[in-house]
Amino acid sequence: MQKIKLKVKKLDERAKLPAYGTAFSAGADLYALLDCSTTILPGETFLVHTGLAMEIAEGYAGFVFARSGLALKKGLAPSNKVGVIDSDYRGEICVALHNHSAAEQTIEPYERIAQLVILPYTAAEFEQVRELSDTVRGEGGFGSTGRK
């Protein structure tokens, strides 16, 4: 497993650094920086601050994913499904949590709200062409490959 150094700046001294739950966790937990418990109504989205900014190395990006337990037990997940933190962004990392459940859900200070995965990426050079190569699938879209 490759490890890289990631510089993290606390924008608020109360902020908690991301932490891995186990030695083989792919995602590091992000923690809610709240003054008090906060209730998110059904269908509502609430912007949760972490109090952290990061310097992600060029060629990498941070991807903010839902925590499966929070999504399953409370119906709370990032509203944009997956957040992308570009390597040139230096602002605060925030998570827009959406309540997909039918009940009010409460977030506590320092609750684990999402997970951050650092991944390398490849940038593309987009070339306009008149035709694309043929494949067996062709233009078959949603459901075109069957269910079983």
Side-chain angles (χ1 to χ4, degrees), residues 72-95:
L72 178 66
K73 295 174 184 172
K74 291 187 173 185
L76 296 175
S79 62
N80 58 341
K81 307 307 178 217
V82 177
V84 179
I85 305 166
D86 297 311
S87 62
D88 59 349
Y89 177 66
R90 296 294 185 268
E92 183 179 10
I93 306 302
C94 295
V95 179

PDB file of all heavy atoms in Angstrom, residues 72-95:
ATOM      1  N   LEU A  72     -26.958   3.957   6.040  1.00  0.00           N
ATOM      2  CA  LEU A  72     -27.896   2.875   6.321  1.00  0.00           C
ATOM      3  C   LEU A  72     -28.751   3.149   7.549  1.00  0.00           C
ATOM      4  O   LEU A  72     -29.967   2.998   7.522  1.00  0.00           O
ATOM      5  CB  LEU A  72     -27.131   1.559   6.516  1.00  0.00           C
ATOM      6  CG  LEU A  72     -27.979   0.347   6.867  1.00  0.00           C
ATOM      7  CD1 LEU A  72     -28.891  -0.009   5.707  1.00  0.00           C
ATOM      8  CD2 LEU A  72     -27.096  -0.829   7.241  1.00  0.00           C
ATOM      9  N   LYS A  73     -28.119   3.574   8.631  1.00  0.00           N
ATOM     10  CA  LYS A  73     -28.841   3.742   9.895  1.00  0.00           C
ATOM     11  C   LYS A  73     -29.612   5.047  10.005  1.00  0.00           C
ATOM     12  O   LYS A  73     -30.651   5.101  10.645  1.00  0.00           O
ATOM     13  CB  LYS A  73     -27.856   3.628  11.057  1.00  0.00           C
ATOM     14  CG  LYS A  73     -27.239   2.245  11.173  1.00  0.00           C
ATOM     15  CD  LYS A  73     -26.173   2.202  12.234  1.00  0.00           C
ATOM     16  CE  LYS A  73     -25.511   0.826  12.243  1.00  0.00           C
ATOM     17  NZ  LYS A  73     -24.351   0.793  13.133  1.00  0.00           N
ATOM     18  N   LYS A  74     -29.102   6.122   9.382  1.00  0.00           N
ATOM     19  CA  LYS A  74     -29.749   7.430   9.510  1.00  0.00           C
ATOM     20  C   LYS A  74     -30.250   8.006   8.189  1.00  0.00           C
ATOM     21  O   LYS A  74     -30.925   9.029   8.184  1.00  0.00           O
ATOM     22  CB  LYS A  74     -28.788   8.440  10.148  1.00  0.00           C
ATOM     23  CG  LYS A  74     -28.479   8.186  11.607  1.00  0.00           C
ATOM     24  CD  LYS A  74     -27.667   9.349  12.162  1.00  0.00           C
ATOM     25  CE  LYS A  74     -27.472   9.250  13.663  1.00  0.00           C
ATOM     26  NZ  LYS A  74     -26.777  10.440  14.188  1.00  0.00           N
ATOM     27  N   GLY A  75     -29.873   7.395   7.079  1.00  0.00           N
ATOM     28  CA  GLY A  75     -30.271   7.936   5.785  1.00  0.00           C
ATOM     29  C   GLY A  75     -29.531   9.203   5.413  1.00  0.00           C
ATOM     30  O   GLY A  75     -29.986   9.969   4.571  1.00  0.00           O
ATOM     31  N   LEU A  76     -28.363   9.437   6.027  1.00  0.00           N
ATOM     32  CA  LEU A  76     -27.578  10.647   5.762  1.00  0.00           C
ATOM     33  C   LEU A  76     -26.399  10.323   4.859  1.00  0.00           C
ATOM     34  O   LEU A  76     -25.609   9.425   5.147  1.00  0.00           O
ATOM     35  CB  LEU A  76     -27.068  11.244   7.073  1.00  0.00           C
ATOM     36  CG  LEU A  76     -28.135  11.741   8.049  1.00  0.00           C
ATOM     37  CD1 LEU A  76     -27.483  12.187   9.357  1.00  0.00           C
ATOM     38  CD2 LEU A  76     -28.945  12.871   7.445  1.00  0.00           C
ATOM     39  N   ALA A  77     -26.281  11.087   3.769  1.00  0.00           N
ATOM     40  CA  ALA A  77     -25.190  10.890   2.812  1.00  0.00           C
ATOM     41  C   ALA A  77     -24.913  12.219   2.121  1.00  0.00           C
ATOM     42  O   ALA A  77     -25.791  13.087   2.065  1.00  0.00           O
ATOM     43  CB  ALA A  77     -25.574   9.830   1.785  1.00  0.00           C
ATOM     44  N   PRO A  78     -23.705  12.393   1.584  1.00  0.00           N
ATOM     45  CA  PRO A  78     -23.414  13.632   0.863  1.00  0.00           C
ATOM     46  C   PRO A  78     -24.450  13.886  -0.232  1.00  0.00           C
ATOM     47  O   PRO A  78     -24.802  12.978  -0.991  1.00  0.00           O
ATOM     48  CB  PRO A  78     -22.028  13.380   0.265  1.00  0.00           C
ATOM     49  CG  PRO A  78     -21.399  12.403   1.210  1.00  0.00           C
ATOM     50  CD  PRO A  78     -22.532  11.502   1.631  1.00  0.00           C
ATOM     51  N   SER A  79     -24.918  15.114  -0.311  1.00  0.00           N
ATOM     52  CA  SER A  79     -25.981  15.447  -1.268  1.00  0.00           C
ATOM     53  C   SER A  79     -25.533  15.314  -2.711  1.00  0.00           C
ATOM     54  O   SER A  79     -26.334  15.010  -3.581  1.00  0.00           O
ATOM     55  CB  SER A  79     -26.504  16.858  -1.012  1.00  0.00           C
ATOM     56  OG  SER A  79     -25.477  17.802  -1.206  1.00  0.00           O
ATOM     57  N   ASN A  80     -24.249  15.525  -2.973  1.00  0.00           N
ATOM     58  CA  ASN A  80     -23.734  15.401  -4.337  1.00  0.00           C
ATOM     59  C   ASN A  80     -23.194  14.001  -4.619  1.00  0.00           C
ATOM     60  O   ASN A  80     -22.525  13.783  -5.613  1.00  0.00           O
ATOM     61  CB  ASN A  80     -22.665  16.455  -4.606  1.00  0.00           C
ATOM     62  CG  ASN A  80     -21.499  16.381  -3.653  1.00  0.00           C
ATOM     63  OD1 ASN A  80     -21.594  15.797  -2.574  1.00  0.00           O
ATOM     64  ND2 ASN A  80     -20.381  16.972  -4.030  1.00  0.00           N
ATOM     65  N   LYS A  81     -23.470  13.074  -3.720  1.00  0.00           N
ATOM     66  CA  LYS A  81     -23.083  11.651  -3.812  1.00  0.00           C
ATOM     67  C   LYS A  81     -21.592  11.437  -3.604  1.00  0.00           C
ATOM     68  O   LYS A  81     -21.206  10.684  -2.751  1.00  0.00           O
ATOM     69  CB  LYS A  81     -23.532  11.005  -5.129  1.00  0.00           C
ATOM     70  CG  LYS A  81     -24.986  11.169  -5.431  1.00  0.00           C
ATOM     71  CD  LYS A  81     -25.866  10.700  -4.288  1.00  0.00           C
ATOM     72  CE  LYS A  81     -27.326  10.918  -4.601  1.00  0.00           C
ATOM     73  NZ  LYS A  81     -28.104  11.320  -3.467  1.00  0.00           N
ATOM     74  N   VAL A  82     -20.751  12.081  -4.385  1.00  0.00           N
ATOM     75  CA  VAL A  82     -19.297  12.007  -4.200  1.00  0.00           C
ATOM     76  C   VAL A  82     -18.743  13.412  -4.385  1.00  0.00           C
ATOM     77  O   VAL A  82     -18.934  14.022  -5.441  1.00  0.00           O
ATOM     78  CB  VAL A  82     -18.627  11.055  -5.218  1.00  0.00           C
ATOM     79  CG1 VAL A  82     -17.113  11.066  -5.031  1.00  0.00           C
ATOM     80  CG2 VAL A  82     -19.166   9.639  -5.076  1.00  0.00           C
ATOM     81  N   GLY A  83     -18.081  13.915  -3.369  1.00  0.00           N
ATOM     82  CA  GLY A  83     -17.447  15.216  -3.480  1.00  0.00           C
ATOM     83  C   GLY A  83     -16.035  15.058  -4.009  1.00  0.00           C
ATOM     84  O   GLY A  83     -15.361  14.071  -3.700  1.00  0.00           O
ATOM     85  N   VAL A  84     -15.594  15.996  -4.827  1.00  0.00           N
ATOM     86  CA  VAL A  84     -14.249  15.960  -5.390  1.00  0.00           C
ATOM     87  C   VAL A  84     -13.482  17.185  -4.898  1.00  0.00           C
ATOM     88  O   VAL A  84     -13.935  18.314  -5.080  1.00  0.00           O
ATOM     89  CB  VAL A  84     -14.279  15.944  -6.937  1.00  0.00           C
ATOM     90  CG1 VAL A  84     -12.866  15.940  -7.500  1.00  0.00           C
ATOM     91  CG2 VAL A  84     -15.068  14.746  -7.439  1.00  0.00           C
ATOM     92  N   ILE A  85     -12.332  16.936  -4.278  1.00  0.00           N
ATOM     93  CA  ILE A  85     -11.471  18.018  -3.802  1.00  0.00           C
ATOM     94  C   ILE A  85     -10.243  18.051  -4.704  1.00  0.00           C
ATOM     95  O   ILE A  85      -9.418  17.138  -4.686  1.00  0.00           O
ATOM     96  CB  ILE A  85     -11.050  17.796  -2.333  1.00  0.00           C
ATOM     97  CG1 ILE A  85     -12.277  17.606  -1.450  1.00  0.00           C
ATOM     98  CG2 ILE A  85     -10.198  18.966  -1.848  1.00  0.00           C
ATOM     99  CD1 ILE A  85     -11.957  17.060  -0.072  1.00  0.00           C
ATOM    100  N   ASP A  86     -10.143  19.085  -5.514  1.00  0.00           N
ATOM    101  CA  ASP A  86      -9.031  19.220  -6.446  1.00  0.00           C
ATOM    102  C   ASP A  86      -7.755  19.615  -5.706  1.00  0.00           C
ATOM    103  O   ASP A  86      -7.804  20.223  -4.632  1.00  0.00           O
ATOM    104  CB  ASP A  86      -9.356  20.276  -7.505  1.00  0.00           C
ATOM    105  CG  ASP A  86     -10.550  19.881  -8.352  1.00  0.00           C
ATOM    106  OD1 ASP A  86     -10.572  18.738  -8.834  1.00  0.00           O
ATOM    107  OD2 ASP A  86     -11.464  20.715  -8.520  1.00  0.00           O
ATOM    108  N   SER A  87      -6.614  19.283  -6.309  1.00  0.00           N
ATOM    109  CA  SER A  87      -5.331  19.535  -5.647  1.00  0.00           C
ATOM    110  C   SER A  87      -5.014  21.022  -5.491  1.00  0.00           C
ATOM    111  O   SER A  87      -4.205  21.384  -4.640  1.00  0.00           O
ATOM    112  CB  SER A  87      -4.192  18.838  -6.401  1.00  0.00           C
ATOM    113  OG  SER A  87      -4.076  19.348  -7.706  1.00  0.00           O
ATOM    114  N   ASP A  88      -5.661  21.891  -6.255  1.00  0.00           N
ATOM    115  CA  ASP A  88      -5.394  23.324  -6.114  1.00  0.00           C
ATOM    116  C   ASP A  88      -6.381  24.037  -5.195  1.00  0.00           C
ATOM    117  O   ASP A  88      -6.292  25.247  -5.002  1.00  0.00           O
ATOM    118  CB  ASP A  88      -5.346  24.010  -7.490  1.00  0.00           C
ATOM    119  CG  ASP A  88      -6.629  23.869  -8.287  1.00  0.00           C
ATOM    120  OD1 ASP A  88      -7.515  23.077  -7.896  1.00  0.00           O
ATOM    121  OD2 ASP A  88      -6.754  24.550  -9.322  1.00  0.00           O
ATOM    122  N   TYR A  89      -7.308  23.305  -4.572  1.00  0.00           N
ATOM    123  CA  TYR A  89      -8.270  23.904  -3.640  1.00  0.00           C
ATOM    124  C   TYR A  89      -7.643  24.011  -2.252  1.00  0.00           C
ATOM    125  O   TYR A  89      -7.048  23.053  -1.762  1.00  0.00           O
ATOM    126  CB  TYR A  89      -9.542  23.052  -3.574  1.00  0.00           C
ATOM    127  CG  TYR A  89     -10.561  23.558  -2.581  1.00  0.00           C
ATOM    128  CD1 TYR A  89     -11.202  24.778  -2.784  1.00  0.00           C
ATOM    129  CD2 TYR A  89     -10.866  22.829  -1.437  1.00  0.00           C
ATOM    130  CE1 TYR A  89     -12.134  25.258  -1.870  1.00  0.00           C
ATOM    131  CE2 TYR A  89     -11.799  23.301  -0.527  1.00  0.00           C
ATOM    132  CZ  TYR A  89     -12.431  24.509  -0.752  1.00  0.00           C
ATOM    133  OH  TYR A  89     -13.355  24.978   0.155  1.00  0.00           O
ATOM    134  N   ARG A  90      -7.762  25.174  -1.645  1.00  0.00           N
ATOM    135  CA  ARG A  90      -7.181  25.393  -0.317  1.00  0.00           C
ATOM    136  C   ARG A  90      -8.204  25.846   0.713  1.00  0.00           C
ATOM    137  O   ARG A  90      -7.861  26.230   1.818  1.00  0.00           O
ATOM    138  CB  ARG A  90      -6.048  26.431  -0.393  1.00  0.00           C
ATOM    139  CG  ARG A  90      -4.852  26.005  -1.220  1.00  0.00           C
ATOM    140  CD  ARG A  90      -4.126  24.827  -0.595  1.00  0.00           C
ATOM    141  NE  ARG A  90      -2.906  24.497  -1.320  1.00  0.00           N
ATOM    142  CZ  ARG A  90      -2.853  23.606  -2.304  1.00  0.00           C
ATOM    143  NH1 ARG A  90      -3.933  22.965  -2.708  1.00  0.00           N
ATOM    144  NH2 ARG A  90      -1.692  23.367  -2.906  1.00  0.00           N
ATOM    145  N   GLY A  91      -9.477  25.816   0.354  1.00  0.00           N
ATOM    146  CA  GLY A  91     -10.520  26.241   1.278  1.00  0.00           C
ATOM    147  C   GLY A  91     -10.930  25.136   2.236  1.00  0.00           C
ATOM    148  O   GLY A  91     -10.418  24.011   2.204  1.00  0.00           O
ATOM    149  N   GLU A  92     -11.886  25.456   3.082  1.00  0.00           N
ATOM    150  CA  GLU A  92     -12.360  24.492   4.078  1.00  0.00           C
ATOM    151  C   GLU A  92     -13.068  23.318   3.413  1.00  0.00           C
ATOM    152  O   GLU A  92     -13.835  23.493   2.460  1.00  0.00           O
ATOM    153  CB  GLU A  92     -13.328  25.157   5.058  1.00  0.00           C
ATOM    154  CG  GLU A  92     -13.791  24.198   6.142  1.00  0.00           C
ATOM    155  CD  GLU A  92     -14.745  24.815   7.153  1.00  0.00           C
ATOM    156  OE1 GLU A  92     -15.210  25.951   6.932  1.00  0.00           O
ATOM    157  OE2 GLU A  92     -15.022  24.145   8.156  1.00  0.00           O
ATOM    158  N   ILE A  93     -12.824  22.140   3.943  1.00  0.00           N
ATOM    159  CA  ILE A  93     -13.520  20.937   3.508  1.00  0.00           C
ATOM    160  C   ILE A  93     -14.847  20.898   4.262  1.00  0.00           C
ATOM    161  O   ILE A  93     -14.872  20.869   5.498  1.00  0.00           O
ATOM    162  CB  ILE A  93     -12.709  19.657   3.822  1.00  0.00           C
ATOM    163  CG1 ILE A  93     -11.284  19.750   3.246  1.00  0.00           C
ATOM    164  CG2 ILE A  93     -13.445  18.420   3.340  1.00  0.00           C
ATOM    165  CD1 ILE A  93     -11.199  19.975   1.769  1.00  0.00           C
ATOM    166  N   CYS A  94     -15.940  20.916   3.520  1.00  0.00           N
ATOM    167  CA  CYS A  94     -17.281  20.832   4.103  1.00  0.00           C
ATOM    168  C   CYS A  94     -18.011  19.685   3.432  1.00  0.00           C
ATOM    169  O   CYS A  94     -17.686  19.306   2.303  1.00  0.00           O
ATOM    170  CB  CYS A  94     -18.055  22.130   3.884  1.00  0.00           C
ATOM    171  SG  CYS A  94     -17.362  23.555   4.739  1.00  0.00           S
ATOM    172  N   VAL A  95     -18.998  19.142   4.118  1.00  0.00           N
ATOM    173  CA  VAL A  95     -19.788  18.049   3.570  1.00  0.00           C
ATOM    174  C   VAL A  95     -21.253  18.458   3.628  1.00  0.00           C
ATOM    175  O   VAL A  95     -21.771  18.742   4.714  1.00  0.00           O
ATOM    176  CB  VAL A  95     -19.570  16.734   4.349  1.00  0.00           C
ATOM    177  CG1 VAL A  95     -20.431  15.620   3.769  1.00  0.00           C
ATOM    178  CG2 VAL A  95     -18.101  16.342   4.338  1.00  0.00           C
TER     179      VAL A  95
END
